[in-house]
Amino acid sequence: MTDGETGRVFRLAYVPGVTPAKWVNVWTERMPGVPITLVAVPAAEVVGLLRDGGADAAFVRLPVDRDGLSVIPLYVETTVVVVPKDHAVAAADEAAVADLTDDEVFHPLDDTIEWTARPGLPAFTRPATTADAVKLVAAGTGLLLVPQSLARLHHRRDLTYRPVPDAPQSQVALAWPTDATTDLVEDFIGIVRGRTVNSSRGRTPASPAEKPKQRQARKAAQNGSGRRAVPARKKKGYRPR
């Protein structure tokens, strides 16, 4: 951490379903002089927040408009179908897209899954949010396909979910404004990528303290001529006969 970073705050935004705790914990241990502030933001608003300077970096769901942003894809999530507990799908371990042909499937406005062809039948309405869609599923008016983390986030006792292996998947990524790639952003990238303290990108690690024997050996090497010492030859003596 440079002197210019002292007293700064690192602002990290994240979209619903992403849990940044493990990276935040590493940051807190590694950067005790720079507090980290978490900003929960809807998936549809996260890019605007970054461009307006409201956060230094953000966990987003792809695809996003990458204009002016740097993006590092991190992991892919399983897509699941959220159904009432008494639905036929709940009796199986998983479902296929073809199993949903006769069901109405909600397509909320904040959906981040890229569909080439949406499964099932179009529902009677497009809910504004995933949370609204979950409530409609609980009312028995349709089904919902979402990344697994969102199904967990909006868990209800009267609903369950099953994996849909042949459905498109949602990918989570780290994004930040390219022209605002600060040292703090680089530090966070290093944490997300699992770099150690001494391998942080763009930083020169401080040399560890030398042990006394190592210091003596180094000084001896510096004082020498640089040539390997050759042991003195022993004089030949007379051997008794």
Side-chain angles (χ1 to χ4, degrees), residues 52-126:
D52 292 342
D56 298 297
F59 288 111
V60 304
R61 289 189 183 277
L62 301 181
V64 295
D65 182 359
R66 300 194 181 197
D67 186 28
L69 299 180
S70 295
V71 178
I72 300 176
L74 299 177
Y75 60 90
V76 174
E77 281 196 73
T78 299
T79 298
V80 301
V81 58
V82 181
V83 301
K85 283 191 173 180
D86 59 356
H87 193 279
V89 168
D93 293 332
E94 61 183 33
V97 170
D99 297 332
L100 312 177
T101 302
D102 298 328
D103 288 286
E104 291 189 12
V105 178
F106 291 108
H107 183 200
L109 295 176
D110 63 355
D111 185 15
T112 57
I113 298 177
E114 269 195 306
W115 297 97
T116 53
R118 288 201 56 80
L121 303 172
F124 68 92
T125 185
R126 286 200 67 184

Side-chain angles (χ1 to χ4, degrees), residues 83-86 138-139 155-160:
V83 301
K85 283 191 173 180
D86 59 356
H155 171 72
R156 291 174 55 118
R157 292 183 179 180
D158 52 351
L159 300 179
T160 187

Side-chain angles (χ1 to χ4, degrees), residues 3-80:
D3 293 339
E5 293 167 2
T6 303
R8 282 203 56 192
V9 174
F10 186 72
R11 299 160 302 163
L12 176 65
Y14 65 99
V15 297
V18 176
T19 305
K22 65 178 181 180
W23 297 296
V24 172
N25 290 339
V26 175
W27 176 278
T28 302
E29 294 175 0
R30 192 174 296 182
M31 307 285 289
V34 183
I36 187 167
T37 298
L38 297 179
V39 183
V41 58
E45 300 176 14
V46 66
V47 170
L49 182 74
L50 287 173
R51 289 179 177 154
D52 292 342
D56 298 297
F59 288 111
V60 304
R61 289 189 183 277
L62 301 181
V64 295
D65 182 359
R66 300 194 181 197
D67 186 28
L69 299 180
S70 295
V71 178
I72 300 176
L74 299 177
Y75 60 90
V76 174
E77 281 196 73
T78 299
T79 298
V80 301

